[in-house]
Amino acid sequence: MNLTINLLITCLSISLISCTSNQTKDVAEKPNIVFIMSDDHAYQAISAYNSGLVKTPNIDKIADQGIKFNNAFVTNSICAPSRAVILSGKFSHLNGVPGNGQVFDGNQQTFPKILQQNGYQTAMIGKWHLKSHPTGFDYWNVLPGQGDYYNPDFIKQGKDTTYDGYVTDIITELSIDWLKSRDKNEPFCLLMHHKAPHRSWMPALKNLELFDDAYFPLPENFYDEYEGKEALKVQMLTVKDHMDVRMDFKIPCDTCDTVSVNSWAPGEYWRRLDRLSPDERQKWDEAYKKEEKEFYEVKDDEPEYDLWKYRRYMEDYLRCIVSVDESVGRVLEYLKENGLEENTIIVYTSDQGFFLGEHGLFDKRFMYEEAMRSPLMIRYPKEIMGNLQTGLLTQNLDIAPTLLDVAGISIPDDMQGISLRDIWQNSDTPWRDAIYYHYYEKGFGATPHYGVRTERYKLIHFYDVVDSWEFYDLETDPNEMKNLYNDPGYEQQIKELSDKLNELQDLYMDTI
Ligand SMILES: [Ca+2]
């Protein structure tokens, strides 16, 4: 495998002595862990994955100097469930958080708890979103619920507190402050979880005019008509029809038609904006005047209005990404300046992927590629020489076992993931040939579904709101436009995937 060759060549070029001494140090010195996770960060909006949309030079560094996972998936594409899977290393049906409504039981086993029991200083800073207070952390300072973008409230070790500023900057500063104050004789594990770029995509005030002149072409399957896709016909998550003029496009139009579903009422949006000081609010209003003017020019011209909606979506979403990238740069810089680069494993990921107009959608939830797949990259110079990538099928389920493995701690038998360390250390390790997915929530017109994805094929069963099956050949149809489930000629492949689905449900103990 290419990975082995790359590693071997790099190792030999440094000389055998240095490789040997690294191995000795591994035993003596526990690695530090910095786990950075953003919320709803699509891999399409990371230049290491897609150079066409936005530049993310700092996030890219983690991939350039480490390993980039090109087929990293979640088990259940929505915020709280993904976080519970990552912490526990178990699927949603076993960790107690199948949807955003459940409370995470903090008494259960998590990887930070195990690290703490093994001498690690642990910290959780930023978006937690699991309803119960964090457990297993020496220090925690988290946003209540979804949190706010501006001058946000936090819960610091159980105590309500408020910080002035922009949430991404605050999470970064709190994280660096904690790194500075830690006991330098012990290894550490920092979880830095950004709120951004979650809806409703409110950028840092200094970035409100970024991308003003940019052109964002619609994705080629923006106008997917959902033929053979019964679940997509009933969802309420399209850019065209389900974004709110005020909350999503930031246009202060009280008479405009608006879409308010679930808790995302416009009132909620204004409450969030009310957090700005009068000076900040003035800056905000000034910055969006251009967009407001454009809105009245295009709103009655449908094709133009669609383009405009997509552009409004991309502008604010990407403005939020720019701050996340800056944050990663600041953390990398701190590690470098403090001699922590070599012995720290840095992970960058998102709690899931996100649709940036593919199939006409925003949001996540569905088992289509853009929502199910997340960015994942790991930098760990002691073991990964850099510029590696892999297409093996990985899941957020694997993060807990990976971090425990790197820390030299045995992985509990009841964790369901596999250590990714095997991928960069031992190319001959047999790897999974399929992944299992199960989404449960019904919000925004979404239908619960489960399915299986192999390297080439995907089989999905929607149940409850809509009962239907979908089957895709990702090699001939990477945009998942043609549901082949009822087409003649695929019976054999569908049978194989169906058997695989049953096998994985048994393996992971998911009784449907
Ligand atoms: Ca999310």
Side-chain angles (χ1 to χ4, degrees):
M1 185 205 254
N2 284 342
L3 267 170
T4 317
I5 297 163
N6 284 348
L7 284 169
L8 190 62
I9 291 169
T10 320
C11 206
L12 287 171
S13 68
I14 290 171
S15 91
L16 277 173
I17 295 163
S18 95
C19 286
T20 310
S21 81
N22 268 354
Q23 281 167 5
T24 314
K25 260 172 77 184
D26 271 349
V27 177
E29 200 180 325
K30 291 270 193 189
N32 304 304
I33 298 166
V34 175
F35 179 79
I36 308 174
M37 181 162 72
S38 48
D39 192 325
D40 296 355
H41 191 173
Y43 60 84
Q44 309 93 297
I46 292 181
S47 38
Y49 286 105
N50 168 25
S51 59
L53 203 52
V54 63
K55 296 279 173 279
T56 51
N58 295 301
I59 295 171
D60 291 1
K61 258 185 218 168
I62 298 174
D64 293 345
Q65 299 169 3
I67 180 166
K68 181 175 66 163
F69 294 83
N70 293 329
N71 276 318
F73 298 93
V74 295
T75 67
N76 180 0
S77 181
I78 187 164
C79 300
S82 171
R83 289 154 203 273
V85 168
I86 287 169
L87 288 168
S88 66
K90 293 178 186 171
F91 276 90
S92 303
H93 58 278
L94 296 183
N95 67 37
V97 186
N100 275 345
Q102 286 78 34
V103 179
F104 183 73
D105 176 4
N107 291 318
Q108 70 186 289
Q109 168 183 278
T110 64
F111 82 83
K113 223 181 249 185
I114 297 172
L115 288 170
Q116 191 184 40
Q117 287 155 3
N118 282 273
Y120 272 75
Q121 301 165 78
T122 55
M124 163 65 224
I125 296 167
K127 184 168 176 182
W128 175 248
H129 200 219
L130 286 167
K131 296 185 188 287
S132 56
H133 282 172
T135 54
F137 299 99
D138 299 306
Y139 174 84
W140 56 274
N141 201 349
V142 300
L143 293 162
Q146 294 281 2
D148 281 299
Y149 273 107
Y150 304 122
N151 305 321
D153 294 334
F154 272 71
I155 309 170
K156 180 182 178 182
Q157 312 263 72
K159 191 168 167 283
D160 290 345
T161 181
T162 302
Y163 295 93
D164 288 339
Y166 185 60
V167 71
T168 305
D169 300 337
I170 293 164
I171 291 169
T172 312
E173 279 150 24
L174 290 171
S175 297
I176 291 175
D177 285 350
W178 182 78
L179 287 171
K180 285 179 183 166
S181 68
R182 76 191 196 279
D183 177 352
K184 300 195 170 52
N185 297 312
E186 302 292 339
F188 66 83
C189 171
L190 166 66
L191 273 55
M192 180 170 91
H193 289 189
H194 283 299
K195 168 184 171 57
H198 193 279
R199 193 182 184 192
S200 55
W201 316 299
M202 294 167 123
L205 295 177
K206 67 176 181 179
N207 290 335
L208 285 176
E209 278 156 37
L210 279 180
F211 308 112
D212 262 356
D213 301 318
Y215 170 67
F216 299 107
L218 295 174
E220 56 187 70
N221 60 354
F222 184 81
Y223 288 107
D224 185 352
E225 291 180 351
Y226 308 148
E227 190 186 340
K229 296 171 182 164
E230 299 309 312
L232 284 189
K233 287 177 186 166
V234 299
Q235 52 69 36
M236 294 184 284
L237 293 161
T238 65
V239 177
K240 253 169 74 67
D241 298 324
H242 301 106
M243 281 190 165
D244 187 282
V245 173
R246 288 167 288 196
M247 183 181 79
D248 295 313
F249 302 140
K250 323 291 182 345
I251 306 303
C253 175
D254 289 331
T255 55
C256 292
D257 284 345
T258 193
V259 179
S260 305
V261 279
N262 291 358
S263 61
W264 290 103
E268 172 82 356
Y269 163 64
W270 295 120
R271 185 187 68 74
R272 285 160 193 256
L273 211 49
D274 282 348
R275 300 190 70 89
L276 291 168
S277 71
D279 284 354
E280 291 168 336
R281 181 60 191 268
Q282 195 182 351
K283 201 169 176 186
W284 168 280
D285 289 340
E286 281 294 318
Y288 282 110
K289 273 192 178 148
K290 176 177 167 285
E291 284 83 352
E292 189 181 353
K293 183 168 170 283
E294 288 168 354
F295 167 71
Y296 286 103
E297 286 165 6
V298 300
K299 76 183 184 62
D300 299 318
D301 179 350
E302 195 161 308
E304 280 301 306
Y305 191 24
D306 291 347
L307 264 177
W308 181 86
K309 285 174 181 173
Y310 184 64
R311 207 180 83 215
R312 285 297 307 113
Y313 171 29
M314 283 302 93
E315 282 171 346
D316 284 334
Y317 182 87
L318 297 177
R319 287 166 181 162
C320 293
I321 300 292
V322 167
S323 292
V324 172
D325 187 64
E326 271 178 25
S327 164
V328 170
R330 288 179 64 187
V331 171
L332 291 178
E333 195 58 32
Y334 176 85
L335 296 175
K336 188 176 179 182
E337 283 173 359
N338 290 275
L340 294 165
E341 265 196 322
E342 281 299 302
N343 195 37
T344 300
I345 176 166
I346 304 167
V347 181
Y348 185 83
T349 192
S350 168
D351 60 345
Q352 12 64 208
F354 215 65
F355 294 107
L356 302 184
E358 299 87 1
H359 306 284
L361 301 169
F362 66 96
D363 209 74
K364 53 257 182 176
R365 300 166 201 272
F366 293 98
M367 205 184 147
Y368 304 112
E369 289 295 279
E370 293 81 7
M372 179 195 192
R373 192 180 143 197
S374 56
L376 176 66
M377 46 188 79
I378 298 178
R379 182 188 186 281
Y380 185 35
K382 271 174 107 174
E383 294 188 3
I384 309 167
M385 295 305 177
N387 209 19
L388 300 180
Q389 53 182 312
T390 176
L392 293 177
L393 300 169
T394 68
Q395 284 190 288
N396 55 348
L397 196 64
D398 303 326
I399 286 168
T402 303
L403 296 178
L404 293 177
D405 189 13
V406 171
I409 300 165
S410 58
I411 301 162
D413 289 342
D414 60 351
M415 281 193 175
Q416 296 177 303
I418 310 171
S419 171
L420 302 174
R421 198 182 192 194
D422 292 345
I423 293 179
W424 69 76
Q425 280 206 321
N426 179 9
S427 63
D428 296 330
T429 302
W431 199 254
R432 61 165 75 93
D433 59 1
I435 54 167
Y436 179 61
Y437 182 90
H438 194 165
Y439 170 83
Y440 301 80
E441 278 216 350
K442 294 189 217 174
F444 300 92
T447 302
H449 55 289
Y450 56 81
V452 60
R453 187 202 190 278
T454 62
E455 194 184 332
R456 177 162 179 181
Y457 299 108
K458 186 183 288 184
L459 179 68
I460 313 173
H461 182 209
F462 290 93
Y463 63 94
D464 200 308
V465 181
V466 160
D467 192 342
S468 66
W469 288 84
E470 295 182 17
F471 176 78
Y472 296 96
D473 181 344
L474 299 167
E475 194 173 290
T476 59
D477 178 25
N479 289 339
E480 297 167 291
M481 292 299 285
K482 177 73 180 147
N483 175 13
L484 299 168
Y485 189 73
N486 292 313
D487 276 34
Y490 291 92
E491 295 83 357
Q492 181 60 30
Q493 288 95 330
I494 291 171
K495 169 80 171 61
E496 281 171 18
L497 254 73
S498 184
D499 290 347
K500 181 56 84 172
L501 182 61
N502 292 333
E503 182 190 318
L504 291 181
Q505 286 177 334
D506 286 346
L507 173 69
Y508 297 130
M509 298 175 286
D510 192 9
T511 49
I512 306 294

